[in-house]
Amino acid sequence: MRPQPDHHHEIETLAAFDQVVAGGPLTGYRVQSVDLTDRTEALLATDATDAVFLGCPMSEEAEAKVRADGALVFPPVPNLPFNPYRGLLYTPDSLFEGLTDGGYEATPDALAYAWFQQTKADGDIFASMLRSVHDDAISDSLDEHVLGSPVVGVMGGHAMARGTDAYAGAARLGRSLARAGLTVATGGGPGAMEAANLGAYAAPLADGMLDEALLILGKAPSFTPSVTDWAAAAFAVRSRWPAGGDSVGIPTWFYGHEPPNAFASHIAKYFANATREDGLLARSTAGVVFLPGAAGTVQEIFDNATPNYYESRGEPTPMVLVDRSHWTERLPAWPLLQALAEERPMEHRIALVDSVAEAPAALERLRSTAILRT
């Protein structure tokens, strides 16, 4: 019986390719976005029956041979500002490459957004297929990255400015969650999202680092009017303290006018916002903290509440809403959430707290309740 494809049969780096061919054939493997132009001899000498090569440059001779073996070869797509077959998540360095020399407009992130703007409404099936292939590859990489990790989502608005008490509070929240052993995941953009990723970045460093970083970032409080200046301040912090902690950012080119932040060590950027939003919440297995926000955050609250209500993903996951006046008076999502949760298992998985400093303890209490009930 032929082997069934799974993550153990995926090859995403040249080192992994070398290791596999040194030990046996490529039968059934999926080789994803690996440059094989210097591996012609290995490909000629290796059985590639039922293998799949996704966007792997290789010599004509090697390509003819693996096709003759019965492999499927999806060649690289030329003249694209992104790789639809990429096998790994983005990093800040990969998305902001060229920032120093040409400004944000010259970076891969900005060029991918420009391509999206040009193609999203033209009805071209090829362009829409490329976006779908890319987003599926990103989801696959994201699943591999967070597998087995307790992921906590931190949601909040993009308008929260650097230099404010709210931004500093969100950063300390991210630091506390990361220090508690959780993987912080955000929407990957500016504002509250950046602050939480910054806090996770600061987690393994001395406490004073975060205070100094907040001062540096406060000199460029917003990504408007200059994304270049805003991003450069973040990279100045990363350069001064290079040994930051890990976290995940999950942004979208659908809102491409909002750049990704540079403090998430791993970035899963999508073209389809619906895929991105559902994926972020679905992977927040340790719960979600909702900071004050507007329409987008309200949507995320009820996107998360719906599977908790129906238990369509299993046991409900914790939900902590921060800022009582915001969620009961300005945007009264809490009373509706309470009404939905009444007399259902999710009733014991929701909490409303007055301040961001209370959120980690509330999340831990809800997580402990979930463990006891299971």
Side-chain angles (χ1 to χ4, degrees):
M1 183 176 179
R2 291 175 178 174
Q4 295 300 309
D6 58 29
H7 290 313
H8 298 295
H9 275 76
E10 294 178 6
I11 297 174
E12 294 149 344
T13 66
L14 194 58
F17 174 87
D18 291 341
Q19 183 177 7
V20 169
V21 297
L26 286 168
T27 303
Y29 276 90
R30 280 74 176 106
V31 190
Q32 193 172 353
S33 190
V34 179
D35 189 343
L36 300 174
T37 52
D38 293 330
R39 294 298 187 270
T40 298
E41 290 186 11
L43 290 168
L44 294 178
T46 302
D47 182 9
T49 303
D50 291 334
V52 179
F53 295 87
L54 299 167
C56 299
M58 64 181 75
S59 69
E60 291 183 5
E61 182 183 13
E63 181 176 343
K65 190 268 181 186
V66 298
R67 285 184 184 274
D69 285 345
L72 288 176
V73 178
F74 293 80
V77 181
N79 304 317
L80 281 180
F82 64 96
N83 178 2
Y85 303 115
R86 66 176 298 115
L88 301 172
L89 296 178
Y90 293 102
T91 65
D93 289 333
S94 66
L95 285 176
F96 285 100
E97 183 181 0
L99 178 74
T100 302
D101 297 329
Y104 175 69
E105 292 72 16
T107 65
D109 185 67
L111 294 173
Y113 177 55
W115 178 88
F116 181 43
Q117 290 293 95
Q118 293 169 0
T119 62
K120 68 179 182 180
D122 63 9
D124 183 0
I125 184 64
F126 185 55
S128 62
M129 182 197 73
L130 291 173
R131 294 195 294 269
S132 296
V133 169
H134 169 274
D135 286 1
D136 191 64
I138 289 296
S139 289
D140 182 71
S141 297
L142 182 58
D143 284 337
E144 292 174 7
H145 179 70
V146 302
L147 183 65
S149 299
V151 178
V152 57
V154 179
M155 311 297 170
H158 69 270
M160 184 184 288
R162 295 167 172 175
T164 63
D165 290 342
Y167 184 96
R172 294 187 182 101
L173 169 66
R175 185 175 65 181
S176 295
L177 295 172
R179 286 180 172 176
L182 301 172
T183 297
V184 173
T186 78
M193 297 172 280
E194 180 189 56
N197 286 128
L198 167 64
Y201 187 87
L205 304 172
D207 287 355
M209 172 269 171
L210 183 56
D211 294 331
E212 292 185 61
L214 290 170
L215 291 174
I216 294 171
L217 295 171
K219 297 175 183 178
S222 174
F223 63 94
T224 59
S226 172
V227 176
T228 301
D229 292 346
W230 174 84
F235 278 99
V237 170
R238 287 170 51 91
S239 178
R240 183 168 175 181
W241 294 280
D246 291 340
S247 66
V248 176
I250 308 181
T252 174
W253 280 295
F254 184 82
Y255 296 130
H257 60 287
E258 298 177 13
N261 77 71
F263 292 110
S265 57
H266 297 83
I267 301 174
K269 190 152 191 179
Y270 288 88
F271 287 105
N273 185 51
T275 304
R276 166 252 190 169
E277 293 240 353
D278 184 68
L280 171 55
L281 294 167
R283 291 173 178 87
S284 296
T285 53
V288 183
V289 177
F290 297 91
L291 300 175
T297 310
V298 172
Q299 177 182 341
E300 289 162 348
I301 289 173
F302 293 103
D303 279 347
N304 197 40
T306 300
N308 281 346
Y309 179 88
Y310 290 111
E311 299 182 65
S312 55
R313 294 181 185 140
E315 285 287 319
T317 52
M319 300 175 65
V320 179
L321 277 61
V322 176
D323 193 329
R324 188 176 303 273
S325 63
H326 184 86
W327 295 121
T328 61
E329 298 173 14
R330 182 168 179 264
L331 295 174
W334 174 251
L336 179 53
L337 184 62
Q338 271 190 309
L340 284 171
E342 188 174 0
E343 297 184 355
R344 301 186 73 89
M346 69 178 287
E347 183 176 21
H348 305 285
R349 313 292 171 83
I350 63 173
L352 175 67
V353 297
D354 293 310
S355 68
V356 71
E358 300 172 81
L363 180 68
E364 179 58 29
R365 175 175 55 82
L366 296 179
R367 292 187 68 214
S368 298
T369 299
I371 293 170
L372 289 173
R373 288 176 63 88
T374 55

